[in-house]
Amino acid sequence: MTADRSREEKRELGVELLAHLEDEELSLAETIDRIETITSSPSLTRTILDDAELQGVIEREDGRIRVQRGGTYVAFDEQVVTREGEFDCRRCGASISTGHFVQFQTGELGPFGPQCVRKVTGRE
């Protein structure tokens, strides 16, 4: 993900990420952990959560987030691409030589290490 994305692009990418989570229910902290791969701005994080709820992507109750995905998941064989290079994982900050990038309609999210890409999408 490039650093010069607009707030609107980040918002759209955040909503799309939440729509593709494999977890049916997450704590608010777990959800924010995933959103932080896109933004560390508390106001944008709140906007992403509000928009996802308004669009019917999630439901919020008592500090829990329930994903209302309707069958959408990240298709690893189609939506996750790898690239060789020198990267820092967007989730944990580790140096990695193979970056995993998630391709969404609204843009690309990554790079991630192999475990973090699974964590961010809810596979682990």
Side-chain angles (χ1 to χ4, degrees):
M1 187 170 95
T2 61
D4 60 350
R5 284 187 192 249
S6 73
R7 183 176 174 87
E8 178 65 17
E9 289 170 326
K10 289 179 181 179
R11 183 197 59 77
E12 290 174 3
L13 189 58
V15 171
E16 190 167 8
L17 173 63
L18 294 178
H20 283 81
L21 293 178
E22 290 198 25
D23 299 296
E24 291 183 20
E25 187 172 316
L26 297 167
S27 69
L28 182 58
E30 291 168 318
T31 304
I32 290 172
D33 177 63
R34 285 150 174 86
I35 294 171
E36 284 179 339
T37 64
I38 298 166
T39 183
S40 59
S41 164
S43 67
L44 183 53
T45 297
R46 178 178 295 278
T47 298
I48 290 168
L49 290 168
D50 290 346
D51 286 357
E53 187 171 30
L54 287 171
Q55 294 177 30
V57 171
I58 62 169
E59 289 182 353
R60 294 189 278 186
E61 185 177 333
D62 297 327
R64 304 292 300 170
I65 305 296
R66 281 187 298 285
V67 179
Q68 309 295 310
R69 75 180 136 306
T72 56
Y73 298 105
V74 170
F76 267 67
D77 54 338
E78 297 171 14
Q79 288 180 272
V80 177
V81 297
T82 58
R83 295 189 194 114
E84 299 300 317
E86 297 298 319
F87 304 106
D88 292 325
C89 177
R90 288 207 47 94
R91 182 171 177 273
C92 71
S95 293
I96 51 177
S97 59
T98 301
H100 294 75
F101 297 82
V102 183
Q103 308 290 312
F104 290 118
Q105 285 184 339
T106 56
E108 178 178 271
L109 184 57
F112 300 107
Q115 287 82 24
C116 285
V117 73
R118 296 182 68 76
K119 180 71 174 177
V120 167
T121 60
R123 290 273 171 115
E124 194 170 282

